[in-house]
Amino acid sequence: MIFNDRARTGGEPVEASCKSADDRNVLLAAPDAAWQDDIRAGVRHVRDLASLPLSPAEREAAQEAAAAHKVRVPKPYLDLIDWNDPDDPIRAQVIPSPQELVATEGELDDPIGDHAFSPVPRLTHRHADRVLLFPTYQCAVYCRFCFRKESLTSIGRGYAREALEPALAYIAGHPEIREVILTGGDPLSLPDKTLAEIRARLEAIPHLRLLRIHTRVPVALPPRVTSGMIEALQGRLMVTVVTHFNHPRELTQAAEAACSAMRQAGFVLLNQSVLLKGVNDKVEVLEELCRELMYRLGVKPYYLHHGDLARGMAHRRTTIAEGQALVAELRRRLSGICNPTYVIDLPEGGGKVPLAASHIEGCGDGTWRIRGQDGKARSYHEVADC
């Protein structure tokens, strides 16, 4: 199936109807054309905000915030916004807000401590067996809550082959590394040829086992998931794609088709969401999101992130207690395979730590008091040979 041909009237991906082998070869020869058109047709610059149905006051405030932090919204994601709803959850994620310019004490420009664990440019090595690799610092969509928003705005560099050489040499020289996570920036914003080149360089390093890709492309720009993109990532390494769906409204037919294509290619699909006030901080919203991700898209809900301490994002963060109550209720409502792990990515490189409310109420002499999903505490006496 070719997913890069689009019905422009409906905006959903369609299987290409090829009358001849020559027609098919033309489609495959230029696989990046359709999704790049969708980027150009969306919001790419501060000046593009003038074309949106905003009030003069809203437009001025959005332009001020976009001048501080990059703005980009591809047309497929822009089309999901209900402009009649000022609290629309899609709008809240990508349209700049003046509240972003209000920094609160305790917020950080490097919330999870990437910089301290970067031995060479474009690489973070926080955990022994895996590294983050940054082939680009550009995204198909810029999320207003992004914990790397300061870096993405200040660095702003795309892909350069020579810029990756120190990172690739570092990976080759550390045999304990088994997994490389392509992040950024969004690695799937790169052309097929570039992705294939990066994949080939990595799979030539014998101790690597898995290639992981963190991306918002299947959510915001699903036409990018083409046969060419999939082929560019296939090789010796196991491939895991970690998507970033935050709200059920993002589960479009186009996103479903993109995920189906990647599943059929053998990729493992996971999802990490961010808990955002006013977007998905209701149990009914998270319940629908997590259930449909698994049952409809075949994407395992992996992490639900507590909001990082990115500057200007206090208006989108919940409290930890609120998050714990939400995931406790999710566990009562959903199958285990549909439940994400609620985590916080600690500052100063402390890593991801689970935040689920503890079910352990105490223990003594081998007898534990454990609270069940019904809220009742029960005694559990250990029986084990020591």
Side-chain angles (χ1 to χ4, degrees):
M1 297 179 71
I2 310 298
F3 289 99
N4 62 339
D5 193 15
R6 284 170 55 86
R8 287 291 168 183
T9 55
E12 299 295 348
V14 294
E15 186 173 351
S17 176
C18 300
K19 297 181 180 179
S20 68
D22 289 341
D23 292 335
R24 184 174 183 276
N25 289 335
V26 168
L27 283 172
L28 292 176
D32 296 323
W35 65 269
Q36 290 177 347
D37 284 347
D38 279 331
I39 289 179
R40 284 188 285 268
V43 171
R44 293 190 296 159
H45 307 287
V46 175
R47 62 178 177 270
D48 295 332
L49 294 169
S51 66
L52 301 182
L54 301 170
S55 70
E58 289 174 326
R59 185 174 296 111
E60 182 179 355
Q63 289 171 335
E64 184 180 1
H69 298 292
K70 286 183 177 180
V71 60
R72 177 174 289 174
V73 191
K75 190 176 187 302
Y77 200 68
L78 200 64
D79 288 346
L80 297 181
I81 296 175
D82 178 1
W83 294 104
N84 294 318
D85 180 5
D87 298 319
D88 179 82
I90 309 300
R91 174 177 174 165
Q93 295 182 64
V94 292
I95 301 302
S97 162
Q99 292 169 296
E100 296 174 39
L101 302 175
V102 180
T104 303
E105 185 177 356
E107 293 181 327
L108 305 168
D109 61 355
D110 182 20
I112 69 170
D114 276 344
H115 300 162
F117 293 85
S118 182
V120 295
R122 295 188 178 236
L123 181 139
T124 296
H125 193 183
R126 185 180 292 108
H127 306 286
D129 65 342
R130 56 199 182 276
V131 295
L132 302 177
L133 181 64
F134 301 82
T136 180
Y137 289 99
Q138 297 177 350
C139 292
V141 59
Y142 289 110
C143 304
R144 310 318 299 174
F145 53 86
C146 180
F147 67 90
R148 291 198 178 105
K149 61 193 296 182
E150 304 279 352
S151 296
L152 297 180
T153 295
S154 62
I155 298 174
R157 293 192 298 269
Y159 174 76
R161 183 180 294 107
E162 61 276 10
L164 282 185
E165 292 301 330
L168 292 170
Y170 180 93
I171 295 168
H174 286 75
E176 72 275 18
I177 298 172
R178 295 287 183 266
E179 179 177 342
V180 172
I181 302 164
L182 298 185
T183 185
D186 194 320
L188 295 190
S189 66
L190 295 170
D192 297 342
K193 182 179 179 181
T194 302
L195 290 173
E197 179 180 292
I198 295 169
R199 185 263 306 158
R201 291 293 303 275
L202 291 172
E203 69 181 12
I205 300 174
H207 53 262
L208 292 184
R209 305 286 301 279
L210 188 143
L211 177 63
R212 196 197 315 178
I213 295 138
H214 285 191
T215 179
R216 202 140 200 241
V217 155
V219 183
L221 190 61
R224 169 65 189 105
V225 180
T226 63
S227 55
M229 187 213 81
I230 289 172
E231 183 178 353
L233 296 173
Q234 289 177 313
R236 175 182 68 82
L237 301 174
M238 178 70 71
V239 176
T240 296
V241 177
V242 182
T243 62
H244 185 169
F245 292 87
N246 284 327
H247 194 277
R249 288 253 308 280
E250 297 168 339
L251 305 177
T252 62
Q253 292 180 15
E256 183 178 356
C259 291
S260 176
M262 291 188 289
R263 287 203 330 272
Q264 291 174 30
F267 298 171
V268 176
L269 301 186
L270 306 172
N271 186 73
Q272 53 183 356
S273 302
V274 177
L275 182 57
L276 297 166
K277 184 184 293 186
V279 174
N280 58 10
D281 60 333
K282 304 295 183 186
V283 69
E284 295 80 9
V285 173
L286 287 174
E287 179 184 8
E288 182 182 357
L289 173 66
C290 293
R291 179 180 285 120
E292 294 306 308
L293 275 169
M294 190 69 247
Y295 291 173
R296 179 180 164 196
L297 271 64
V299 179
K300 168 71 177 85
Y302 177 43
Y303 284 141
L304 176 63
H305 285 267
H306 186 72
D308 294 303
L309 294 174
R311 294 190 192 279
M313 282 294 108
H315 65 291
R316 291 292 173 210
R317 275 191 294 272
T318 69
T319 66
I320 290 175
E322 288 170 332
Q324 288 177 325
L326 284 169
V327 296
E329 183 60 25
L330 280 182
R331 185 155 293 279
R332 283 189 281 270
R333 296 185 180 205
L334 292 172
S335 161
I337 200 170
C338 297
N339 270 280
T341 300
Y342 181 39
V343 296
I344 186 168
D345 216 328
L346 290 172
E348 301 178 356
K352 295 181 182 67
V353 178
L355 282 174
S358 175
H359 287 259
I360 307 299
E361 294 195 350
C363 67
D365 296 328
T367 299
W368 295 79
R369 292 286 293 172
I370 303 176
R371 184 165 37 83
Q373 292 187 13
D374 59 4
K376 297 178 181 178
R378 294 171 173 83
S379 296
Y380 174 85
H381 184 72
E382 291 185 299
V383 179
D385 291 332
C386 298

